[in-house]
Amino acid sequence: PAADAPAGSSLAAYADVYSLERVSARDGPPSGSGGPSLRDRARQRLVSEVFGTLRAMPCGAVLLVDGVTMPVISSLFRVSELMEAGVHLVEHITMRGPDGNYLRRQQLTSLPALYFLTPSVESLGRLIDDFRNPKAPAYASAHLFFSSRVSDALVAKLKASPAMPRVRSFKEVHLEFSLREADLFAVSPSPGAPSALATLFRIDTDKPAKRARLHEVHKIGTSLATLFTTLGAAPIVRAATSAVAAAIACATQEKLDALDRAGALPAVEEAASGAPPPLLLVLDRAFDPLSPLLHEFTYQAMVHDLLPVAEGDRYRYTYVGNSGQSLSKEVLLNEADPLWLRYRHMHIADLTVELDADYKAFLRDNEASAGLASGNADLSEMAAGLRAMPKFQEAMGRWSLHISLVSELVSRYEAF
């Protein structure tokens, strides 16, 4: 940032230089066609194709996931929403403890189980282990849902296993990506594998490296193909001339063709909608190698660039409580926070001004609760303040978080 900003300039002056790059927080994310977001589409698919099974289970069920499908579920549903749907417990069947062994799970022999798994040898093996002992199964029955196509070899293994008599339903859902934002997705990584960047671009030519590269290419292709199953459209696939981009594009097209043959990929009704089919353009980092080296000055970009944000959206910050003690709190910086949604695309210089003005306006709109919190309120104001106090305290927590975040970002910027 110091190389880009005018020497000795303030944030306000720097913002004037880059006024054309500002993004208004009031504009929000691009609206696209005005239809449902990708998150809404994915949620609806799982509600109808997976959790719809719970309607026939008045006692509820246990949901079993693995390292690939766990991020899918957690990015789409809150725990409270799963419980309302009838899920009593969510278990991660491939999670291991510090000793390297699988974590022990509670046996609930009176409840049916919904397995939402990736079609892998490990996940299927864990499923079969739950019913290894016919006299003492882990669950009463098994309803199987897979995130992508199950190979013939795995189907044969399931049929020959002791779990088969307990299987009540089997379906390929074709949903294998997680949502970072309403319309921002990430392909599902291979559990325990290094980053795709390291796997795809490594220069090793030995067989293990080639196998890992091929596996990653097909993993990405599978995730991208299930994206278009959710969008309900068959795309035109194009790629850059690089080897990595071309390989991923070919793998994606193969997966799309297989879905089309299976009837899982809706055809694009171009004549009815008047819109052309979507275009999937596959590019690798070689197309734009400089972006990772640049520092953005919008709120969301600076938070991820300068602060220790874990797991994509978890941030722990320290603040001073009402009694003067130092407290620590972990928060989620995501679209569930209306202030994050409002401010995340704003330039930091604009944000310092607008956040202060909006906070003062918030206090004016909540004078009764603010007066009660400060101890300056008469009886009528106290009554009104008490009625609004829970919502006021929740909102104050959000304001405190973002004021703290912006102050920390400005301090780190000025330290350059």
Side-chain angles (χ1 to χ4, degrees):
D4 294 333
S9 64
S10 65
L11 276 172
Y14 179 56
D16 291 336
V17 174
Y18 286 84
S19 59
L20 293 178
E21 297 182 4
R22 297 179 186 177
V23 180
S24 171
R26 306 301 182 191
D27 293 341
S31 58
S33 62
S37 67
L38 179 58
R39 174 176 279 133
D40 291 337
R41 291 173 183 269
R43 280 172 56 95
Q44 183 56 42
R45 285 197 61 212
L46 288 183
V47 167
S48 61
E49 297 182 34
V50 177
F51 299 124
T53 311
L54 291 167
R55 299 190 189 99
M57 305 176 190
C59 59
V62 181
L63 176 62
L64 288 303
V65 294
D66 57 24
V68 172
T69 57
M70 183 61 155
V72 177
I73 293 294
S74 61
S75 70
L76 296 175
F77 299 96
R78 297 187 181 94
V79 174
S80 59
E81 292 174 326
L82 294 176
M83 294 181 67
E84 289 175 4
V87 175
H88 295 301
L89 183 66
V90 179
E91 292 273 27
H92 191 317
I93 68 170
T94 57
M95 181 174 286
R96 297 176 183 268
D99 58 358
N101 294 321
Y102 290 115
L103 296 179
R104 294 177 60 87
R105 289 180 281 121
Q106 181 182 2
Q107 289 192 333
L108 299 169
T109 56
S110 61
L111 289 178
L114 303 183
Y115 287 85
F116 180 42
L117 306 174
T118 185
S120 66
V121 173
E122 181 185 25
S123 294
L124 185 64
R126 295 292 290 150
L127 184 162
I128 293 172
D129 287 343
D130 287 342
F131 301 94
R132 185 74 64 185
N133 185 352
K135 296 182 179 180
Y139 308 103
S141 60
H143 297 263
L144 310 185
F145 303 91
F146 289 93
S147 59
S148 56
R149 181 182 176 278
V150 185
S151 68
D152 293 341
L154 290 181
V155 171
K157 183 177 181 179
L158 175 64
K159 286 182 177 180
S161 74
M164 194 60 200
R166 296 281 178 172
V167 175
R168 297 293 178 267
S169 58
F170 179 102
K171 187 172 186 178
E172 295 172 343
V173 179
H174 301 297
L175 202 162
E176 201 169 284
F177 57 88
S178 59
L179 275 293
R180 300 294 176 86
E181 295 179 5
D183 286 302
L184 176 64
F185 73 95
V187 297
S188 297
S190 301
S195 69
L197 186 68
T199 302
L200 295 173
F201 286 91
R202 62 190 301 178
I203 60 175
D204 299 1
T205 58
D206 56 24
K207 288 185 178 180
K210 289 182 178 179
R211 281 197 299 268
R213 189 179 301 115
L214 183 62
H215 181 269
E216 193 67 34
V217 164
H218 281 276
K219 191 70 178 173
I220 294 172
T222 297
S223 289
L224 291 176
T226 66
L227 166 70
F228 289 96
T229 303
T230 301
L231 292 175
I236 297 172
V237 182
R238 296 291 184 267
T241 56
S242 70
V244 170
I248 291 174
C250 288
T252 303
Q253 188 64 63
E254 289 177 6
K255 307 297 183 184
L256 288 168
D257 291 342
L259 289 173
D260 187 43
R261 289 193 297 271
L265 187 66
V268 178
E269 299 179 2
E270 184 174 353
S273 65
L279 172 66
L280 173 62
L281 181 59
V282 182
L283 305 172
D284 61 40
R285 179 47 63 194
F287 181 82
D288 179 22
L290 294 181
S291 290
L293 306 178
L294 300 178
H295 295 276
E296 289 284 348
F297 288 91
T298 52
Y299 185 30
Q300 183 181 36
M302 289 188 73
V303 165
H304 286 273
D305 191 9
L306 301 177
L307 301 179
V309 179
E311 299 178 23
D313 59 4
R314 295 182 181 275
Y315 176 69
R316 181 170 293 277
Y317 75 109
T318 303
Y319 64 99
V320 178
N322 294 332
S323 58
Q325 76 275 31
S326 179
L327 302 174
S328 178
K329 183 179 181 180
E330 184 178 83
V331 293
L332 297 178
L333 300 173
N334 57 28
E335 291 174 324
D337 180 349
L339 295 183
W340 176 255
L341 195 61
R342 182 193 306 178
Y343 295 129
R344 60 183 173 175
H345 296 151
M346 288 192 71
H347 191 285
I348 189 66
D350 294 332
L351 180 56
T352 56
V353 176
E354 186 153 342
L355 184 64
D356 179 66
D358 288 351
Y359 177 60
K360 290 177 180 177
F362 165 75
L363 292 179
R364 287 195 300 272
D365 294 341
N366 295 272
E367 289 183 0
S369 296
L372 185 63
S374 62
N376 300 321
D378 57 27
L379 288 177
S380 60
E381 291 174 336
M382 288 177 65
L386 284 171
R387 286 193 296 272
M389 183 57 74
K391 291 184 178 179
F392 175 78
Q393 289 179 331
E394 180 182 355
M396 276 297 295
R398 293 197 188 99
W399 285 107
S400 174
L401 164 65
H402 291 285
I403 290 171
S404 173
L405 279 172
V406 171
S407 298
E408 180 66 18
L409 291 175
V410 171
S411 297
R412 296 198 179 203
Y413 170 83
E414 293 177 343
F416 281 109

